[in-house]
Amino acid sequence: MAGTVQASPGFQLTPTPTQVAIPGNYISNFDFLSHELPDTYEKEFERYGNRSIASFLRMVGAESPSNSDLIKWSEQGRLHTKYADCTVSAVGADTATVTINSGATACTFRVGQTVLLSSNTNATSDKAIITAVSGLTFTVAYYAAAGGTIAVADVVTAFVYGSEFKKGTTGMVGSLEANSEIFDNSPIIIKDKYEVTGSDMAQIGWVEVTTENGATGYLWYMKSEHETRLRFDDYLEMSMVEGVEAEAGSGAIDVTGNVGNKGTKGLFDVVESRGNLWAGGNPSTLTEIDTIVERLDKQGAIAENVLFVDRQFGFDIDDMLAAQNANYNGGTSFGLFDNDKDMALNLGFDGFTRGYEFYKTDWKYLNDATLRGGIVGGAVNGVMVPAGTMTVYDQVLGKNAKRPFLHVRYRESQAESRKYKTWITGSAGGAQTSDLDAMEVNYLSERALCTLGANNFFLFKD
């Protein structure tokens, strides 16, 4: 019978200065008779650097408690009303009748108000006074003696700029109610668990190693709970960013035995549905940046905004800004730079001003190779978050409150806090809660992300 020579068992061990259980100092096949115990470094080498990505919401958001399954708030609507894509249905010598086609249920214009009509068809505009309103149709009389310039079937945009009444007449007929929109979100319960058997805990064998350079450390063999906690912390943030609401009739709702899997409205989902979406590559020219600025002008006009971007988007912004230098010509002479041979080149920018202040920072989540980094379908290149706070009406508190634009609400009452719960169960490791011959470390949180003023956010997708 032919024999085979087996290779010696490999070791990937990292001693620790104290007897702390981590994966790096676990020996799965230790033999005291073996003479092949390797020299080991005192500390585990962090070849992937800081692997946690949970930092985004800590930078731009805030947290506060909530005691309900549903969180509701109202946001101010527009102060003025403008109807686009209206159709001119009739034209007289000095009058015109316009029908609103924008999906409105009623016309908020009133008799006596003065309007500007801008024709999308022939690029002209007229000013007139409203003489009649009926349903989704209003009639105007022109101020110009020659009448208006718009024709039947023209598509026009209309907005009110004032009003005018004759002497001795009654006041305005009708009034406008404040236009507020009510939004809501539901918290979700996030869980994780780490488990080790009682036998493994009782049989920990520590081996101290001393190398020639004086380094000492310990080796053991049990799975680390520390990484479970780090992973759970990341899940708390990613759930708030990636979460989606379960649609009626979806499998998430209808799964047998899992009643109530309702999902939650995460940042990406909210911004894509009621914010601003940039699709088709990264904006990398001033013309494209100007398009974003023009869009912000039509929204809340927040003075300062932060761009959280992936690596390529960050490079595109840097290249665009460097190219604006008059002496650029493919070189590196931008700003106050002496081009000294001993000086390190700084080819990046922290921000720029173009109508608004824009600050730029890399978002680790979008670059992480095990998460968003490198995916093709549904890739997100960055998100623009307005800085500061806004005032909203809290439906639960019943009063106005200042909130950051991103606000995490966690479930809490006087008797129970579910912001970040951790507890030990089983019969090992000091726990005496059941007859399970193990120690279980449990993690739980119940939270939701409230994205306030989503119309001021931008989501950048491929």
Side-chain angles (χ1 to χ4, degrees), residues 16-30:
T16 57
T18 59
Q19 295 180 357
V20 179
I22 63 171
N25 60 352
Y26 166 56
I27 304 179
S28 60
N29 53 1
F30 182 73

Side-chain angles (χ1 to χ4, degrees), residues 104-167:
T105 57
C107 177
T108 62
F109 291 170
R110 291 165 290 169
V111 174
Q113 290 185 315
T114 52
V115 295
L116 184 145
L117 302 176
S118 174
S119 174
N120 302 333
T121 305
N122 55 30
T124 61
S125 63
D126 300 302
K127 293 180 180 178
I129 185 169
I130 298 176
T131 58
V133 177
S134 177
L136 292 174
T137 299
F138 63 93
T139 302
V140 300
Y142 292 113
Y143 277 103
T149 59
I150 58 178
V152 174
D154 277 4
V155 177
V156 300
T157 299
F159 70 88
V160 171
Y161 67 85
S163 63
E164 183 182 5
F165 291 88
K166 298 177 181 178
K167 293 181 179 181

Side-chain angles (χ1 to χ4, degrees), residues 83-88 98-104 136-137 153-156:
Y83 294 113
D85 299 326
C86 303
T87 303
V88 178
V98 181
T99 300
I100 299 170
N101 302 318
S102 58
L136 292 174
T137 299
D154 277 4
V155 177
V156 300

